[in-house]
Amino acid sequence: MIIRKADIHEIDQVFMVLNKATVDLISKGISQWSYPWEPEMISNEVSSNHCFIAEASEVILGVFFIRDIDCFLNDVPIDISSSNLSKYVILSEFQGMGYGATILAFAYSYAQDRNST
């Protein structure tokens, strides 16, 4: 598996993965995110280098976002050197294969490299 930052030309693919995962969650009675995703939000995240893609054999199997936290997260004071992992999606057909653990290890390492926690 390769993990890398999403490219601006991949916004449609990121959009598709997020929507597919959201529909799957909704079908299970889980309303975690709004559907459909806002293309402008995804474009902003990709343009800001916050969006990451996990892929295997050139197939996107997951998407997630890492961004710096600037003092508060939902009104809770946070160390300003912290990062937030969010919108963490692995498509259902790739779940249970260890990709989630690899993504978490990557996010942790990425945050440490940026002097974050």
Side-chain angles (χ1 to χ4, degrees), residues 57-94:
S57 302
E58 298 184 21
V59 174
I60 298 174
L61 56 95
V63 171
F64 59 98
F65 299 82
I66 301 176
R67 55 181 22 228
D68 294 334
I69 299 174
D70 54 0
C71 292
F72 291 92
L73 180 64
N74 298 329
D75 297 327
V76 176
I78 304 290
D79 182 336
I80 60 171
S81 65
S82 296
S83 295
N84 180 40
L85 171 65
S86 66
K87 301 165 192 76
Y88 176 25
V89 169
I90 298 173
L91 293 174
S92 60
E93 59 266 32
F94 298 104

Side-chain angles (χ1 to χ4, degrees), residues 66 81-83 105-117:
I66 301 176
S81 65
S82 296
S83 295
F106 171 89
Y108 180 76
S109 177
Y110 180 84
Q112 281 189 317
D113 290 346
R114 294 175 52 85
N115 294 322
S116 299
T117 54

